[in-house]
Amino acid sequence: MPISLLPAEAVEADAIRNLTVDESQMDFIASNDESLEELTERPECVGFAIMAEGQPVGFAMSALDPDDGNHWIYRLMIDARHQGKGFGRKALAALVETMAAIPGCDAIYLGVYPDNTRARALYQRVGFRETGQIIGGETVLRLGLAGSNAWMSPRDPRFDEGVSYNRQ
């Protein structure tokens, strides 16, 4: 089932607030209520509703971090009722493709808690690699977008073949 990213403000805020991760994942990500508040307070943040069949199934937020000048994925969550359907992988691919179109974005960073093995595995399958940094208890991962080891667009027919590519 295809997904799309809509600007968060194009979707009823309560529909986004009502999306929650599985209880076992709650320590790994801020609530959507906190994320929507952060969107209003931080102009560098861009929020997206992850949509499937016209309904929100998740939320993502990215930013050009003013502190380090890097492009970051600050949030990526799929509602517990919609996990295990491939939405996380598709949403990550769509978010990366969206960010890759930003002029000057040659890498994307994100943080993941070491115990969040499911998310970590997803990020690594897509090509994110550890930088050696730890910020706030999260391991920082980086996806290079430029050069011969650039990330493969989901428009490439090989994308869904499950092949892992090294894109450092």
Side-chain angles (χ1 to χ4, degrees):
M1 178 180 318
I3 63 100
S4 61
L5 300 179
L6 287 181
E9 60 271 9
V11 176
E12 179 65 38
D14 282 341
I16 294 173
R17 281 187 190 95
N18 290 334
L19 300 171
T20 60
V21 294
D22 183 79
E23 190 174 317
S24 66
Q25 301 165 326
M26 292 206 178
D27 290 339
F28 299 141
I29 191 163
S31 73
N32 287 346
D33 193 43
E34 292 169 297
S35 295
L36 290 173
E37 184 177 322
E38 190 171 352
L39 272 176
T40 63
E41 295 172 355
R42 297 185 60 187
E44 70 272 14
C45 292
V46 180
F48 299 95
I50 301 164
M51 307 293 289
E53 294 186 334
Q55 299 299 315
V57 297
F59 176 77
M61 186 165 65
S62 64
L64 175 57
D65 191 292
D67 295 330
D68 65 14
N70 291 317
H71 293 268
W72 285 78
I73 295 174
Y74 281 172
R75 308 280 193 285
L76 177 60
M77 67 79 65
I78 301 297
D79 185 82
R81 297 166 293 177
H82 299 287
Q83 292 183 10
K85 300 176 183 178
F87 292 145
R89 180 184 54 79
K90 291 175 185 178
L92 179 60
L95 186 57
V96 168
E97 187 169 27
T98 298
M99 294 174 72
I102 299 170
C105 181
D106 61 357
I108 298 172
Y109 294 80
L110 58 78
V112 62
Y113 285 104
D115 292 344
N116 194 351
T117 55
R118 193 170 172 187
R120 180 190 210 98
L122 170 65
Y123 300 142
Q124 290 177 330
R125 276 194 310 275
V126 169
F128 281 87
R129 299 293 178 254
E130 292 186 24
T131 65
Q133 290 180 287
I134 296 177
I135 299 175
E138 292 182 308
T139 301
V140 176
L141 304 179
R142 177 186 182 275
L143 176 67
L145 299 173
S148 61
N149 291 326
W151 175 77
M152 181 185 300
S153 167
R155 292 190 180 135
D156 187 305
R158 297 170 293 164
F159 181 80
D160 280 326
E161 292 179 1
V163 178
S164 178
Y165 297 91
N166 183 0
R167 298 171 200 87
Q168 291 192 29

